[in-house]
Amino acid sequence: MDKDDTTNDAHFLMNLPALAPTFLPTFIGLLHDSREEFNDELKTKPPFKIFVHCYLFTKHAEKPKEEAERVVRAELQNMDVNIVEVHHVRTVSNFKEMICVTFELPLKVLLHTPLVENDAQPEEKRRRVEESDGED
């Protein structure tokens, strides 16, 4: 990269609060198959930072921000990520809060050997069979 080139940070916005945390493990090893293309300098100091903004719900939590951070870390298999900010977005109901957890995703997470293959196919949903009432 030329010194005159400027690179902005990359931001991933995950705004499906009911499901977003379940997609976080896909970041682990996402670039694993491309790791040979990264030289040692890029592995230690990538050309730009990657931030993830993960919106999620917490339910029945006394400390919703701490619970949201715990969920994010657990979904990332407790890999070392830098949590930048955890903020309350809104109260959804008496027992449900929407929280946004922003964290910096280090390249080592993207290059990590995945525990689960990223290209694994989800199980097919069973087709719902309508029960007939016996009339044709």
Side-chain angles (χ1 to χ4, degrees):
M1 183 181 315
D2 293 338
K3 291 185 180 192
D4 293 341
D5 291 345
T6 58
T7 305
N8 295 321
D9 297 333
H11 292 263
F12 292 91
L13 179 65
M14 302 176 73
N15 194 17
L16 290 171
L19 297 173
T22 64
F23 289 101
L24 290 174
T26 60
F27 285 112
I28 301 171
L30 186 64
L31 298 178
H32 180 263
D33 293 339
S34 304
R35 69 188 176 283
E36 301 303 323
E37 297 175 27
F38 291 86
N39 62 31
D40 290 337
E41 183 181 351
L42 280 178
K43 286 180 182 176
T44 56
K45 188 175 184 337
F48 56 89
K49 293 180 180 182
I50 301 169
F51 293 96
V52 177
H53 308 273
C54 182
Y55 288 81
L56 64 147
F57 294 129
T58 59
K59 298 178 183 177
H60 306 288
E62 287 184 29
K63 297 180 178 181
K65 289 181 181 180
E66 289 84 352
E67 175 64 13
E69 184 176 337
R70 186 198 63 73
V71 168
V72 166
R73 288 190 184 281
E75 289 292 339
L76 290 169
Q77 300 168 6
N78 292 311
M79 296 193 74
D80 187 27
V81 295
N82 177 26
I83 303 286
V84 176
E85 180 183 19
V86 180
H87 75 271
H88 180 264
V89 177
R90 67 185 178 95
T91 299
V92 179
S93 70
N94 289 342
F95 301 106
K96 191 176 193 179
E97 304 293 335
M98 184 188 292
I99 306 294
C100 179
V101 178
T102 299
F103 60 92
E104 184 177 347
L105 188 65
L107 189 57
K108 67 182 176 184
V109 172
L110 296 168
L111 296 175
H112 191 272
T113 303
L115 296 178
V116 177
E117 291 297 321
N118 288 329
D119 59 352
Q121 297 297 316
E123 291 184 28
E124 280 191 42
K125 291 184 178 180
R126 290 184 288 187
R127 179 175 229 126
R128 183 176 168 186
V129 179
E130 297 288 331
E131 291 185 27
S132 66
D133 56 9
E135 296 177 20
D136 289 354

